[in-house]
């Protein structure tokens, strides 16, 4: 596929979708039930001019970043432990497998009981959503390290801590990077849910608030923004991942 | 020659196979490698040559008998010897120089000294210009040079080499042997070298230890007293070669084929 086509095709598909949306909105004829793309754009510009939209975006991104960073900070060491120690793995794996299918949303009542109303439950939900993919891919990456690297570490007499820092962690970084990217996607989905209760800012709150004030156009503004931001975050991590892989000689 | 650098004292090594039977890889082997000596272990596959090397490197413990480096019994890798592996084991995330610095880093050598030593070792193997490249940018022969430089950087008393040129093409192989021989003569290190290439062993070794399989044991020890560097085309080289091949053939013929159709 040529470069021009790669750019044109998604643009054309988007144009078709927006046109169809516009036509459908005109048929429905109710801005409350189904606002047109133009109405949504107007709503976006209006809230942006009020300064509110940027505030909501920043609030969501900030909570997401905190929850995700906490997920990385906890998930990578736990993953390393599971990857390195057969004992830790057989002890913890069943617990993780039972906890993992529980939706982060299901934790919400507990989180509000523990942390009260506020942004902490939203952050905690992102943390829960991020930590499982990070733990599992990290553990997997560690298990799949070429055993020859570990033999080299041993023949040079590296200590256990030195081997982890100098060999295990860098050797598993390409695998960990994949986990970090997957976790960004899954946990970003949950920031909206986390913000639907207990906070008064953020894109999730914008959706609830707009619905309560019958501003369906703003509901769609928030939805589109969530999608676009999710795409941007994913792309940024893909770039970082590709860099890691290139630096690690991924061509081999 | 001077004191013993490596001593195998009545060493037996048995592995448990998946079928539950014990496989005797090495049976009652006694061998002494003198300080500064270059010894090649040669033999058909399954003769236990790599097991002996793993025992000397501390990767395996003997089932019976003792393995000593100098006076000390070998209990774990990393004490007094460095193993060079056939598949190099270079770290792809480190540049060539950083790879060579690895062992020095483990020993807590300061960064400036580390860099200087790494560059000296790289110069010795002819790779000074490639210090900032990454392993995947190098050919197999160059990678093995880096791996040898990494081993020599920590100045090991004993260098253990497990078919180091096995994955290098024939032309580069001869050149690598010449370089290794030169490096060895310059530093007089003890080398225990595993190979199944008879020419390689004759070119490099002070002494060739011929092993036979089932269970692995020493069949013959051959002193090679040809002057160095050795001329591969010489008559004496050829005579040793003929003798070794005959001995290998005899050793092999006592054994059933490795696989049956």
């Amino acid at each position: 596929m040529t470069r021009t086509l790669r750019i044109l095709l998604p643009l054309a598909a988007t144009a078709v979708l927006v046109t169809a949306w516009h036509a459908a909105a005109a048929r429905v004829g109710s801005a409350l039930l189904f606002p047109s793309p133009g109405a949504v754009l107007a709503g976006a510009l209006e809230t942006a001019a009020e300064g509110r939209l940027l505030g909501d975006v920043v609030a969501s991104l900030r909570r997401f970043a905190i929850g995700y960073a906490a997920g990385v900070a906890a998930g990578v060491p736990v993953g390393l432990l599971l990857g390195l120690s057969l004992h830790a793995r057989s002890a913890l794996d069943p617990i993780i497998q039972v906890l993992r299918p529980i939706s982060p949303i299901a934790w919400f009542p507990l989180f509000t009981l523990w942390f009260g109303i506020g942004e902490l439950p939203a952050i905690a939900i992102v943390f829960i959503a991020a930590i499982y993919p990070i733990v599992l891919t990290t553990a997997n990456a560690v298990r799949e390290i070429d055993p020859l690297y570990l033999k080299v570490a041993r023949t040079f007499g590296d200590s256990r801590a030195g081997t982890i820092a100098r060999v295990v962690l860098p050797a598993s970084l390409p695998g960990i990077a994949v986990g970090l990217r997957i976790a960004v996607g899954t946990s970003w989905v949950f920031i909206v849910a986390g913000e639907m209760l207990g906070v008064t800012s953020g894109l999730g709150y914008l959706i609830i608030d707009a619905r309560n004030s019958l501003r369906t156009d703003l509901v769609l503004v928030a939805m589109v923004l969530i999608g676009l931001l999710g795409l941007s975050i994913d792309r940024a991590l893909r770039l970082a991942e590709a860099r890691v892989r290139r630096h690690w000689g991924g061509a081999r | 020659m001077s004191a013993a650098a490596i001593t195998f004292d009545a060493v037996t090594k048995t592995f448990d196979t998946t079928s539950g039977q014990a496989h005797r890889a090495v049976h009652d082997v006694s061998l002494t490698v003198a300080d500064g000596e270059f010894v090649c272990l040669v033999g058909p596959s399954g003769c236990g040559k790599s097991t002996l090397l793993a025992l000397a490197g501390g990767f395996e413990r003997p089932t019976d008998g003792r393995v000593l480096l100098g006076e000390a019994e070998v209990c774990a890798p990393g004490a007094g010897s460095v193993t060079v592996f056939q598949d190099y084991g270079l770290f792809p995330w480190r540049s060539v120089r950083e790879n060579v610095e690895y062992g020095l880093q483990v020993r807590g050598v300061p960064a400036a000294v580390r860099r200087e030593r790494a560059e000296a070792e790289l110069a010795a193997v002819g790779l000074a210009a490639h210090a900032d490249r990454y392993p995947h940018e190098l050919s197999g022969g160059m990678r093995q040079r880096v791996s040898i430089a990494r081993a020599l950087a920590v100045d090991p008393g004993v260098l253990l080499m497990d078919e180091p040129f096995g994955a290098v093409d024939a032309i580069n192989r001869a050149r690598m042997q010449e370089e290794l021989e030169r490096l060895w003569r310059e530093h007089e290190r003890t080398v225990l070298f595993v190979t199944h290439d008879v020419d390689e062993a004759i070119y490099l070794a002070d002494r060739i230890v011929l092993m036979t399989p089932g269970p692995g044991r020493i069949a013959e020890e051959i002193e090679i007293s040809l002057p160095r560097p050795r001329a591969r085309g010489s008559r004496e080289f050829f005579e040793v070669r003929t003798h070794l091949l005959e001995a290998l053939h005899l050793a092999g013929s006592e054994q059933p084929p490795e696989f049956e159709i």
Side-chain angles (χ1 to χ4, degrees):
Chain A
M1 203 166 33
T2 66
R3 200 186 161 78
T4 340
L5 263 184
R6 263 211 306 276
I7 297 168
L8 276 182
L9 275 178
L11 283 180
T14 311
V16 169
L17 180 69
V18 172
T19 312
W21 171 10
H22 181 82
R27 241 186 109 78
V28 172
S30 157
L32 179 63
L33 283 179
F34 195 22
S36 70
V40 170
L41 186 63
L45 293 174
E46 178 200 321
T47 36
E50 287 166 10
R52 179 179 168 193
L53 201 54
L54 184 65
D56 282 333
V57 167
V58 170
S60 286
L61 284 176
R62 194 180 61 82
R63 289 177 193 131
F64 171 74
I66 296 171
Y68 178 74
V72 174
V76 171
V78 173
L80 282 177
L81 180 70
L82 291 185
L84 286 168
S85 156
L86 197 61
H87 291 115
R89 186 150 79 246
S90 44
L92 297 180
D93 197 57
I95 300 176
I96 291 173
Q97 296 305 341
V98 168
L99 288 177
R100 195 161 67 109
I102 303 170
S103 164
I105 309 286
W107 288 91
F108 202 92
L110 275 184
F111 287 158
T112 44
L113 281 174
W114 294 342
F115 307 134
I117 299 291
E119 62 178 4
L120 220 44
I123 291 170
I125 280 178
V126 171
F127 171 83
I128 292 284
I131 194 167
Y132 297 116
I134 292 174
V135 165
L136 296 177
T137 49
T138 302
N140 214 34
V142 171
R143 275 203 301 277
E144 279 170 14
I145 290 178
D146 187 340
L148 185 56
Y149 297 155
L150 302 176
K151 285 181 92 173
V152 169
R154 291 177 70 199
T155 198
F156 282 99
D158 209 344
S159 64
R160 188 151 174 83
T163 302
I164 291 172
R166 278 186 284 258
V167 180
V168 172
L169 201 54
S172 50
L173 200 56
I176 294 175
V178 174
L180 295 187
R181 179 173 56 76
I182 295 172
V184 146
T186 54
S187 57
W188 175 249
V189 168
F190 285 99
I191 184 66
V192 181
E195 284 175 342
M196 283 187 166
L197 289 161
V199 289
T200 53
S201 63
L203 293 169
Y205 171 71
L206 177 60
I207 288 181
I208 294 300
D209 188 49
R211 185 206 59 185
N212 289 344
S213 51
L214 302 180
R215 288 292 301 271
T216 317
D217 56 337
L218 296 187
V219 173
L220 278 154
V221 166
M223 285 170 68
V224 170
L225 268 178
I226 288 160
L228 289 175
L229 286 169
L231 174 74
S232 314
I233 297 172
D234 182 75
R235 280 299 138 94
L237 266 108
R238 256 177 218 278
L239 279 179
E241 189 193 323
R243 271 186 80 124
V244 168
R245 207 173 311 135
R246 210 165 42 241
H247 187 68
W248 261 234
R252 289 171 315 134
Chain B
M1 285 246 190
S2 42
I6 313 171
T7 310
F8 295 93
D9 180 13
V11 169
T12 294
K13 177 67 188 177
T14 314
F15 290 104
D16 295 326
T17 59
T18 41
S19 58
Q21 284 173 327
H23 167 68
R24 185 156 287 197
V26 170
H27 177 71
D28 194 23
V29 166
S30 291
L31 174 70
T32 307
V33 179
D35 207 16
E37 193 181 16
F38 200 127
V39 170
C40 282
L41 299 173
V42 180
S45 51
C47 71
K49 56 189 191 296
S50 289
T51 304
L52 276 192
L53 202 79
L55 287 162
F59 290 103
E60 301 288 351
R61 299 294 314 273
T63 314
D64 231 321
R66 294 188 312 157
V67 181
L68 310 176
L69 286 187
E71 304 284 304
E73 188 158 358
V74 178
C75 300
S81 74
V82 168
T83 303
V84 171
F85 301 96
Q86 179 174 359
D87 295 322
Y88 331 121
L90 296 180
F91 299 136
W93 59 90
R94 285 176 171 242
S95 70
V96 163
R97 181 195 297 110
E98 289 164 348
N99 263 288
V100 177
E101 285 183 22
Y102 172 71
L104 300 166
Q105 216 178 343
V106 170
R107 281 155 182 74
V109 176
V113 183
R114 223 155 63 200
R115 194 186 163 95
E116 207 174 299
R117 284 274 292 281
E119 280 176 0
E121 294 300 341
L122 281 170
V125 296
L127 287 177
H130 296 82
D132 293 315
R133 315 256 312 251
Y134 282 82
H136 69 271
E137 302 174 300
L138 307 181
S139 71
M142 287 159 97
R143 288 188 208 180
Q144 193 56 287
R145 283 187 181 89
V146 176
S147 141
I148 290 170
R150 176 172 68 180
L152 296 180
V154 298
D155 199 14
V158 171
L159 197 57
L160 304 169
M161 308 186 87
D162 192 3
E163 300 199 37
F165 308 140
V168 177
D169 65 84
I171 297 166
N172 271 306
R173 211 169 177 180
R175 199 181 306 156
M176 302 278 300
Q177 291 161 7
E178 284 154 26
E179 281 181 22
L180 177 65
E181 206 255 357
R182 177 177 52 77
L183 284 170
W184 170 77
R185 270 189 289 128
E186 282 166 10
H187 296 278
E188 291 287 317
R189 284 192 185 85
T190 310
V191 180
L192 187 59
F193 189 106
V194 166
T195 180
H196 56 256
D197 180 340
V198 167
D199 286 352
E200 182 166 84
I202 302 170
Y203 186 81
L204 292 170
D206 290 323
R207 183 161 45 121
I208 295 176
V209 175
L210 191 67
M211 298 187 68
T212 59
R217 63 179 93 202
I218 296 175
E220 192 179 344
E221 293 185 35
I222 302 149
E223 297 275 346
I224 312 285
S225 47
L226 304 178
R228 293 174 185 271
R230 291 168 180 160
R232 294 173 205 266
S234 73
R235 238 186 67 138
E236 294 86 347
F237 199 97
F238 191 73
E239 278 165 6
V240 177
R241 187 169 190 269
T242 311
H243 173 77
L244 255 170
L245 286 175
E246 268 169 19
L248 262 173
H249 186 72
L250 281 176
S253 67
E254 291 167 7
Q255 294 306 313
E258 261 174 58
F259 44 81
E260 288 166 43
I261 298 162

